[in-house]
Amino acid sequence: IISVSLGTCVNNNFEEIKKFSSDITKEMLDKGIGKTFKVETKRANKNFCMDSQEINRKLGEYLLSLFPILKVDVINPSFTIYVEVREFTYIYTDIVKAYGGLPVGSSGKATLLLSGGIDSPVAGWMTAKRGAKLDAVHFYSYPYTSERSKEKVIELTKILSLYCQNINLYIVPFTNAQLEIKEKCPIDLMTIIMRRLMMKISVKIAEINDSMALITGESLGQVASQTMQSLAVINAAVNFLILRPLIGMDKNEVINIAREIGTYETSILPYDDCCTLFVAKHPETKPKLEHVLISESVLNEDKLINESISSMEIINF
């Protein structure tokens, strides 16, 4: 939907068009909107007796004769009388802009890694705007993250569902995996290894639900795990399409969208997610894949993945 207008529907009869246009014009003058106007016509119905320019001219002349206080201003009018001649004629003055995009589901299904921060809900919304149906995965590290952190993500999913229709939220327990990574892996690679494991678990969930891609809120260079080298190592964890709609955006651009779609105030609630808790003071920003593969080889990944998936909670919105 590109725009929405509240209008009056009349028969394709110029006398009716004149009458309802005059009613709308009187209403605009009574409201003190201003004294300049123009008429803008779209004639989709080519069988109508006048073309769009003729309708503009004759309807404008009629309104000027009826309201001598009016003046025509085609560049910057106080208000515009819009006339659309279709199977019926629609008359309106206001155009409320909508978001456009593609119908939800027309581009397939994608799975959003939903952290609870500002970025990931915006990334999900932007992908849904291009026609993707969303599922969401949240990694939850109780007791290191509170119940309120989980409630925050649930609330964010509710907000997204207002735009994206039906969403399944998969809340995945991740505490054991993070503790094992912390215990067995180099601290400077901990975030990268954790992100790689998240990708592997998310792909398993996506494949179960016929999802075609993962979505993340990553932006190039924003944090240590979002350098080109780090993203390349994270990508190598899975053979799956990863969408990063925010990759070229800065934080202020993302915040502006978050405010617009209504997720910002929830995202900034001060409840940590699992990503913020197990972070090295000096993480590696240029990891080498061969070093990461050696470091994570000590993990029992199959066991960690199966435990996480078998214990996950599913909430439908």
Side-chain angles (χ1 to χ4, degrees):
I1 297 174
I2 301 299
S3 66
V4 178
S5 296
L6 181 62
T8 298
C9 177
V10 302
N11 292 316
N12 289 343
N13 177 290
F14 193 59
E15 292 304 313
E16 285 194 39
I17 294 171
K18 285 163 58 177
K19 176 184 181 306
F20 283 98
S21 296
S22 65
D23 290 345
I24 291 173
T25 301
K26 182 177 184 305
E27 183 180 335
M28 300 301 285
L29 291 172
D30 289 345
K31 288 179 178 178
I33 300 298
K35 299 176 183 178
T36 60
F37 83 109
K38 73 172 180 177
V39 178
E40 189 171 308
T41 302
K42 293 179 182 177
R43 189 191 63 150
N45 185 344
K46 302 305 180 184
N47 294 321
F48 192 71
C49 59
M50 292 182 280
D51 64 24
S52 57
Q53 291 303 316
E54 191 175 1
I55 295 170
N56 289 343
R57 186 175 65 255
K58 289 192 174 182
L59 186 56
E61 289 172 354
Y62 172 74
L63 294 174
L64 285 170
S65 68
L66 209 59
F67 304 99
I69 196 173
L70 282 177
K71 291 184 179 179
V72 173
D73 184 345
V74 297
I75 304 300
N76 189 29
S78 303
F79 63 93
T80 301
I81 302 293
Y82 296 97
V83 180
E84 290 198 26
V85 183
R86 299 174 179 267
E87 73 283 9
F88 294 96
T89 296
Y90 302 90
I91 306 168
Y92 56 94
T93 58
D94 296 321
I95 298 176
V96 180
K97 289 184 178 179
Y99 293 114
L102 298 173
V104 172
S106 62
S107 297
K109 184 190 284 189
T111 298
L112 171 66
L113 277 69
L114 185 61
S115 68
I118 296 169
D119 300 330
S120 55
V122 173
W125 180 85
M126 289 179 68
T127 310
K129 183 182 175 185
R130 298 308 305 160
K133 184 183 184 304
L134 297 186
D135 281 337
V137 175
H138 175 66
F139 292 91
Y140 179 55
S141 295
Y142 183 83
Y144 297 97
T145 51
S146 68
E147 192 68 22
R148 287 187 173 183
S149 171
K150 177 179 170 182
E151 290 169 1
K152 176 172 134 175
V153 169
I154 290 172
E155 181 59 29
L156 287 170
T157 311
K158 283 182 182 177
I159 296 169
L160 285 175
S161 72
L162 299 175
Y163 299 98
C164 308
Q165 302 180 22
N166 185 65
I167 300 178
N168 290 315
L169 172 62
Y170 297 85
I171 300 176
V172 179
F174 202 58
T175 308
N176 291 341
Q178 285 182 295
L179 290 174
E180 186 166 332
I181 291 169
K182 184 177 182 181
E183 178 186 346
K184 296 181 178 180
C185 299
I187 191 166
D188 61 333
L189 294 176
M190 193 164 60
T191 300
I192 296 294
I193 293 171
M194 181 180 72
R195 293 290 294 172
R196 283 170 56 86
L197 186 58
M198 286 179 172
M199 291 292 182
K200 292 171 185 177
I201 293 170
S202 298
V203 165
K204 293 284 188 185
I205 295 170
E207 288 174 341
I208 291 169
N209 296 290
D210 297 321
S211 184
M212 300 172 66
L214 300 183
I215 310 163
T216 78
E218 291 160 319
S219 173
L220 188 62
Q222 185 165 260
V223 295
S225 64
Q226 295 175 19
T227 63
M228 280 200 186
Q229 294 90 336
S230 295
L231 293 174
V233 171
I234 291 168
N235 279 10
V238 295
N239 183 22
F240 208 70
L241 177 61
I242 301 173
L243 304 177
R244 294 182 171 96
L246 311 187
I247 197 68
M249 300 178 71
D250 65 35
K251 199 68 175 184
N252 287 332
E253 291 174 301
V254 178
I255 287 172
N256 288 339
I257 297 174
R259 290 185 189 277
E260 175 71 21
I261 66 176
T263 57
Y264 179 75
E265 295 300 329
T266 302
S267 290
I268 63 171
L269 291 173
Y271 310 130
D272 287 333
D273 62 52
C274 69
C275 298
T276 63
L277 295 173
F278 295 84
V279 177
K281 287 185 179 180
H282 303 289
E284 178 61 68
T285 59
K286 297 180 180 180
K288 303 285 188 184
L289 180 57
E290 57 268 29
H291 296 161
V292 173
L293 291 172
I294 292 168
S295 298
E296 69 184 13
S297 65
V298 298
L299 301 173
N300 189 341
E301 282 196 348
D302 289 341
K303 177 174 175 288
L304 294 174
I305 291 170
N306 291 332
E307 281 181 353
S308 295
I309 290 177
S310 64
S311 303
M312 68 185 177
E313 177 183 359
I314 305 171
I315 306 174
N316 177 262
F317 297 85

